Amino acid sequence: MRRLRKVKIVATLGPASNDYDTIKALFEAGADVFRLNMSHGDHSEIRVRHEIIRQIEKDTGRPIAILADLQGPKLRVGTFADDDGHELEVGQAFRLDLDDAEGDATRVQLPHKEIFDALEPGASLLVNDGKIRLKVKDCGADYADCEVTVGGVISNRKGVNVPDVVLPLAALSEKDRKDLEFVCQLGVDWLALSFVQRAADVAEARVLADGRAAILSKIEKPAAVKSFDEILAVSDGIMVARGDLGVELPVQNVPPIQKRLVRKCRAVAKPVIVATQMLESMIDSPMPTRAEVSDVATAIYEGSDAIMLSAESAAGSFPIEAVTTMNNVAIEVESDPVYLEIIAAQRGGKKHTVADSIVVAAREIAETTDIKAICCFSQSGTTAQLVSRERPHVPIIALTTLTGTARRLCLSWGMHCVMTESVERFKMAVVAAARAAREYGFAGEDEQIVVTAGVPFNQPGTTNILRVAPTDERLIFATGPE
């Protein structure tokens, strides 16, 4: 099985996609990565979904990446004496405090002392996904007196966003630490870290993961946008989580932020996912809106490594149709000559190493001659990601002996991952690449591929050789270096 497009599709699993047949149909429709949302479902449900994915991987013979998305700390108001809540009018006063007494029309508990420690007069508080907006007029260690600037009904345990300050909260709650250990023991490939505000927030997750999964930082807070360069430097990948960004920032700010973040990720060869509300109407409808299709297309034109479905595939009525739609949009966009021009114009990033030079040369050779694929041997996945950064017009085949590397690379743009046996000689590596190119339909018997590898083999970071090779094994043995 091979995809006919380069961008990857991440599909979230949930009640609508909870059995073998549905998950396999999602994979066949185009899902490359499955997201397990730790905010929903207990450990037993997550385990079952993980086992199903691994069984599908075995049955299809194709590596599949699994992304576990940690919930992060949830900030919520307390409860009200009236279960229906209260209508807040613009201009009225309303207090948030630490008192655990049930709320009324004038106040409610906010059981997060850290928020009061960080608040200053003038700060904004957003309740219920920004439907209610409060402006802090006065505050202390256990209270915040606010003015309602956008009214609405406030009720039990509605979420609170604090966009204007960096909160002294760890990105990992106690639940997150338990979930992290559970999914690492299961064997997920990527951990998505919520509530990231600064680079230091990534450190604890990396220590706890201990190399068992790659760390993907979700950019969903204004503080993370401000500290993005530092966060990117310590992360293995990035998710542009536009939902919370669109709550905590003016919605018109999100598209340019998305573009900047995608370009920065591409420049350093780290995968980036664009997420949230991509095909939102397909939760209830078999057809997307034209605006949604344009949104998906924009992320692809920007060169994103992956685009993600959330409730569309997890809880919607048309999960397979949503993946199929995303797949079809990607194929159409990537066949557009303008797409190739945009991708070529956006190539960049500092290139200082031998590996950088090798992959640039591989891409230029592939695009100026009749080369069918770039085949790269990669143990850690770093060289394969460098090839992906170049966004070549030809397919990329990543060959590795490590299952974990093959799975993680399923998130990277253009990557067709193939498990291969260990080789000691470069000529045998070329043979393995030629066989993979033929087996998966990337090249015929009398065509050419580019092969990159590092000698000595099986040592990460040693990419130092490139060869233009025939796919005919007889010609490989007759010519070229050992």
Side-chain angles (χ1 to χ4, degrees), residues 387-435:
V387 177
S388 177
R389 175 178 68 181
E390 287 298 303
R391 301 295 194 257
H393 296 173
V394 300
I396 307 167
I397 304 176
L399 298 101
T400 182
T401 61
L402 302 177
T403 303
T405 296
R407 289 169 174 166
R408 284 194 295 274
L409 286 174
C410 290
L411 185 59
S412 294
W413 184 97
M415 208 67 64
H416 182 88
C417 304
V418 176
M419 294 296 300
T420 187
E421 295 180 355
S422 180
V423 295
E424 301 298 331
R425 296 163 50 209
F426 180 67
K427 185 165 285 188
M428 296 311 300
V430 176
V431 169
R435 288 174 179 171

XYZ file of all heavy atoms in Angstrom, residues 387-435:
378
model
N 15.595 14.839 4.426
C 15.081 14.664 3.066
C 13.671 15.232 2.973
O 13.319 15.931 2.019
C 15.109 13.182 2.651
C 14.491 13.008 1.263
C 16.536 12.641 2.660
N 12.855 14.943 3.991
C 11.490 15.461 4.009
C 11.476 16.982 4.011
O 10.627 17.609 3.369
C 10.758 14.919 5.241
O 9.452 15.440 5.335
N 12.407 17.610 4.732
C 12.481 19.073 4.766
C 12.651 19.662 3.376
O 12.129 20.742 3.072
C 13.655 19.517 5.645
C 13.876 21.028 5.636
C 15.010 21.455 6.546
N 16.328 21.022 6.072
C 17.458 21.272 6.729
N 17.427 21.893 7.893
N 18.607 20.858 6.231
N 13.367 18.952 2.513
C 13.598 19.451 1.160
C 12.348 19.418 0.292
O 12.306 20.040 -0.778
C 14.711 18.627 0.490
C 16.093 18.916 1.026
C 16.491 20.356 0.792
O 16.490 20.799 -0.360
O 16.778 21.057 1.793
N 11.313 18.702 0.742
C 10.057 18.590 -0.006
C 10.311 18.274 -1.483
O 9.903 19.029 -2.385
C 9.228 19.874 0.119
C 8.836 20.264 1.568
C 7.908 19.251 2.181
N 7.265 19.725 3.401
C 7.614 19.380 4.638
N 8.645 18.568 4.834
N 6.936 19.821 5.685
N 11.008 17.150 -1.766
C 11.282 16.815 -3.174
C 10.002 16.477 -3.933
O 8.994 16.092 -3.333
C 12.189 15.590 -3.052
C 11.824 14.967 -1.741
C 11.507 16.123 -0.828
N 10.061 16.622 -5.239
C 8.887 16.314 -6.066
C 8.687 14.817 -6.228
O 7.606 14.396 -6.646
C 9.036 16.968 -7.447
C 9.071 18.461 -7.392
N 9.332 19.245 -8.499
C 8.880 19.334 -6.368
C 9.295 20.525 -8.147
N 9.036 20.598 -6.862
N 9.704 14.027 -5.947
C 9.596 12.572 -6.093
C 9.323 11.948 -4.725
O 9.583 12.563 -3.682
C 10.882 11.974 -6.703
C 11.147 12.575 -8.077
C 12.075 12.176 -5.771
N 8.809 10.718 -4.694
C 8.539 10.059 -3.413
C 9.811 9.825 -2.596
O 10.916 9.726 -3.140
C 7.909 8.728 -3.830
C 7.384 8.963 -5.209
C 8.339 9.927 -5.844
N 9.632 9.734 -1.271
C 10.720 9.419 -0.346
C 10.451 8.044 0.254
O 9.368 7.806 0.794
C 10.816 10.445 0.801
C 10.906 11.869 0.256
C 11.998 10.127 1.706
C 10.697 12.934 1.331
N 11.416 7.153 0.152
C 11.318 5.845 0.795
C 12.340 5.814 1.924
O 13.543 5.933 1.690
C 11.588 4.692 -0.193
C 10.632 4.783 -1.391
C 11.448 3.341 0.510
C 10.900 3.744 -2.468
N 11.862 5.695 3.157
C 12.744 5.615 4.315
C 12.886 4.157 4.713
O 11.893 3.505 5.049
C 12.179 6.433 5.467
N 14.108 3.649 4.657
C 14.370 2.259 5.027
C 15.081 2.228 6.374
O 16.054 2.959 6.592
C 15.224 1.557 3.963
C 14.583 1.472 2.571
C 15.172 2.534 1.665
C 14.760 0.090 1.967
N 14.597 1.401 7.283
C 15.193 1.321 8.616
C 15.014 -0.088 9.170
O 14.074 -0.800 8.799
C 14.556 2.343 9.564
O 15.194 2.279 10.837
C 13.066 2.110 9.734
N 15.910 -0.448 10.059
C 15.796 -1.743 10.743
C 15.014 -1.606 12.043
O 14.708 -2.617 12.679
C 17.190 -2.298 11.064
O 17.878 -1.376 11.932
C 18.008 -2.508 9.804
N 14.681 -0.373 12.435
C 14.048 -0.119 13.733
C 12.559 0.176 13.566
O 12.181 1.144 12.895
C 14.729 1.057 14.426
C 16.240 0.900 14.665
C 16.810 2.161 15.298
C 16.520 -0.321 15.532
N 11.729 -0.640 14.188
C 10.280 -0.467 14.085
C 9.851 0.900 14.605
O 9.007 1.573 14.003
C 9.555 -1.570 14.879
O 9.960 -2.846 14.395
C 8.047 -1.442 14.735
N 10.426 1.325 15.735
C 10.056 2.612 16.312
C 10.351 3.771 15.381
O 9.553 4.712 15.278
N 11.488 3.716 14.685
C 11.830 4.773 13.733
C 10.838 4.805 12.581
O 10.363 5.872 12.170
C 13.254 4.576 13.203
O 14.183 4.698 14.283
C 13.601 5.604 12.138
N 10.503 3.630 12.049
C 9.549 3.561 10.938
C 8.209 4.150 11.337
O 7.577 4.894 10.573
C 9.380 2.115 10.485
N 7.759 3.828 12.547
C 6.467 4.349 12.998
C 6.501 5.855 13.195
O 5.574 6.563 12.756
C 6.067 3.649 14.299
C 5.666 2.178 14.110
C 5.545 1.484 15.453
N 5.033 0.118 15.314
C 5.080 -0.795 16.292
N 5.614 -0.465 17.471
N 4.594 -1.995 16.101
N 7.528 6.371 13.845
C 7.590 7.810 14.092
C 7.640 8.600 12.789
O 7.073 9.678 12.680
C 8.788 8.161 14.972
C 8.592 7.830 16.447
C 9.634 8.492 17.313
N 10.981 7.989 17.049
C 11.508 6.919 17.617
N 10.789 6.210 18.479
N 12.729 6.545 17.341
N 8.340 8.048 11.783
C 8.466 8.753 10.510
C 7.157 8.805 9.727
O 7.054 9.552 8.747
C 9.559 8.104 9.659
C 10.997 8.373 10.114
C 11.979 7.549 9.282
C 11.337 9.858 10.034
N 6.164 8.018 10.143
C 4.862 8.070 9.469
C 4.212 9.441 9.591
O 3.278 9.752 8.850
C 3.923 7.014 10.043
S 4.355 5.309 9.636
N 4.699 10.279 10.515
C 4.160 11.618 10.683
C 4.824 12.630 9.755
O 4.321 13.735 9.577
C 4.341 12.059 12.142
C 3.739 13.388 12.582
C 2.226 13.423 12.355
C 4.055 13.659 14.051
N 5.940 12.268 9.138
C 6.716 13.223 8.342
C 6.262 13.248 6.889
O 5.983 12.208 6.290
C 8.209 12.863 8.412
O 8.706 13.039 9.714
N 6.255 14.437 6.329
C 5.800 14.682 4.952
C 6.507 13.762 3.959
O 7.730 13.619 3.976
C 6.098 16.134 4.612
C 5.617 16.634 3.272
C 4.476 17.316 3.025
C 6.297 16.523 2.019
N 4.392 17.648 1.687
C 5.497 17.160 1.050
C 7.492 15.937 1.623
C 5.853 17.242 -0.283
C 7.855 16.008 0.292
C 7.053 16.650 -0.654
N 5.716 13.152 3.085
C 6.249 12.424 1.941
C 6.873 11.084 2.244
O 7.368 10.414 1.333
N 6.840 10.643 3.495
C 7.614 9.475 3.894
C 6.841 8.181 3.674
O 5.730 8.008 4.187
C 7.994 9.602 5.367
C 9.266 8.894 5.746
S 10.716 9.635 4.986
C 10.713 11.248 5.737
N 7.443 7.265 2.905
C 6.942 5.899 2.810
C 7.943 5.028 3.558
O 9.089 4.867 3.121
C 6.829 5.457 1.350
C 6.267 4.073 1.189
N 4.920 3.823 1.103
C 6.881 2.860 1.129
C 4.726 2.513 0.981
N 5.888 1.916 0.994
N 7.538 4.503 4.703
C 8.472 3.819 5.605
C 8.475 2.317 5.346
O 7.420 1.686 5.227
C 8.104 4.099 7.054
S 8.041 5.857 7.438
N 9.666 1.761 5.251
C 9.832 0.336 4.944
C 10.792 -0.282 5.950
O 11.895 0.234 6.177
C 10.381 0.140 3.510
C 10.650 -1.336 3.235
C 9.404 0.708 2.480
N 10.378 -1.380 6.557
C 11.276 -2.142 7.423
C 12.203 -2.996 6.560
O 11.765 -3.609 5.585
C 10.473 -3.038 8.357
C 9.637 -2.280 9.372
S 10.661 -1.326 10.518
C 11.645 -2.645 11.252
N 13.480 -3.010 6.914
C 14.450 -3.767 6.138
C 15.411 -4.486 7.073
O 15.533 -4.129 8.247
C 15.232 -2.837 5.187
O 16.064 -3.622 4.336
C 16.091 -1.863 5.962
N 16.076 -5.492 6.561
C 17.068 -6.202 7.352
C 18.354 -5.392 7.429
O 18.644 -4.558 6.571
C 17.357 -7.573 6.732
C 16.159 -8.526 6.756
C 16.494 -9.872 6.144
O 17.623 -10.026 5.618
O 15.632 -10.765 6.174
N 19.127 -5.644 8.466
C 20.396 -4.953 8.631
C 21.346 -5.305 7.494
O 21.396 -6.457 7.035
C 21.029 -5.348 9.973
O 22.255 -4.687 10.154
N 22.058 -4.296 6.991
C 23.034 -4.515 5.922
C 24.397 -4.002 6.386
O 24.485 -3.065 7.180
C 22.624 -3.816 4.610
C 21.356 -4.410 4.049
C 22.440 -2.306 4.831
N 25.452 -4.621 5.891
C 26.814 -4.231 6.268
C 27.561 -3.570 5.119
O 28.569 -2.906 5.328
C 27.599 -5.464 6.737
C 26.973 -6.169 7.936
C 26.914 -5.285 9.172
O 27.782 -4.400 9.304
O 25.990 -5.460 9.996
N 27.068 -3.772 3.882
C 27.736 -3.213 2.703
C 26.791 -2.272 1.987
O 25.588 -2.515 1.905
C 28.173 -4.333 1.752
C 29.205 -5.275 2.339
C 29.283 -6.563 1.529
N 29.425 -6.278 0.094
C 28.972 -7.101 -0.856
N 28.337 -8.209 -0.547
N 29.156 -6.785 -2.131
N 27.346 -1.198 1.425
C 26.524 -0.211 0.750
C 25.798 -0.815 -0.458
O 24.641 -0.486 -0.720
C 27.376 0.979 0.304
C 26.581 2.036 -0.403
C 25.628 2.772 0.270
C 26.767 2.286 -1.754
C 24.878 3.745 -0.365
C 26.030 3.258 -2.406
C 25.084 3.985 -1.706
N 26.463 -1.717 -1.150
C 25.834 -2.317 -2.330
C 24.558 -3.060 -1.943
O 23.552 -2.999 -2.654
C 26.809 -3.252 -3.039
C 26.261 -3.813 -4.358
C 27.362 -4.422 -5.204
C 28.203 -3.340 -5.855
N 29.172 -3.876 -6.834
N 24.551 -3.729 -0.792
C 23.350 -4.431 -0.355
C 22.259 -3.448 0.056
O 21.060 -3.736 -0.079
C 23.687 -5.379 0.790
C 24.638 -6.502 0.404
S 24.141 -7.373 -1.131
C 22.518 -7.995 -0.675
N 22.668 -2.285 0.549
C 21.685 -1.252 0.861
C 21.002 -0.769 -0.415
O 19.780 -0.549 -0.444
C 22.366 -0.082 1.576
N 21.783 -0.622 -1.476
C 21.217 -0.205 -2.762
C 20.253 -1.265 -3.276
O 19.168 -0.954 -3.793
C 22.337 0.064 -3.784
C 21.741 0.406 -5.151
C 23.229 1.211 -3.312
N 20.614 -2.513 -3.114
C 19.728 -3.615 -3.541
C 18.413 -3.558 -2.766
O 17.323 -3.686 -3.346
C 20.425 -4.982 -3.346
C 19.419 -6.116 -3.540
C 21.587 -5.127 -4.312
N 18.499 -3.366 -1.446
C 17.286 -3.292 -0.631
C 16.413 -2.115 -1.052
O 15.181 -2.223 -1.117
C 17.667 -3.166 0.842
N 17.037 -0.984 -1.384
C 16.286 0.188 -1.826
C 15.599 -0.072 -3.160
O 14.437 0.294 -3.358
C 17.221 1.392 -1.923
N 16.322 -0.706 -4.074
C 15.744 -1.012 -5.391
C 14.553 -1.953 -5.260
O 13.526 -1.782 -5.926
C 16.817 -1.614 -6.297
N 14.690 -2.956 -4.398
C 13.582 -3.899 -4.201
C 12.360 -3.194 -3.615
O 11.229 -3.442 -4.035
C 14.031 -5.030 -3.287
C 15.010 -5.993 -3.954
C 15.543 -7.015 -2.958
N 16.462 -7.946 -3.615
C 17.207 -8.845 -2.955
N 17.142 -8.921 -1.626
N 18.013 -9.655 -3.625
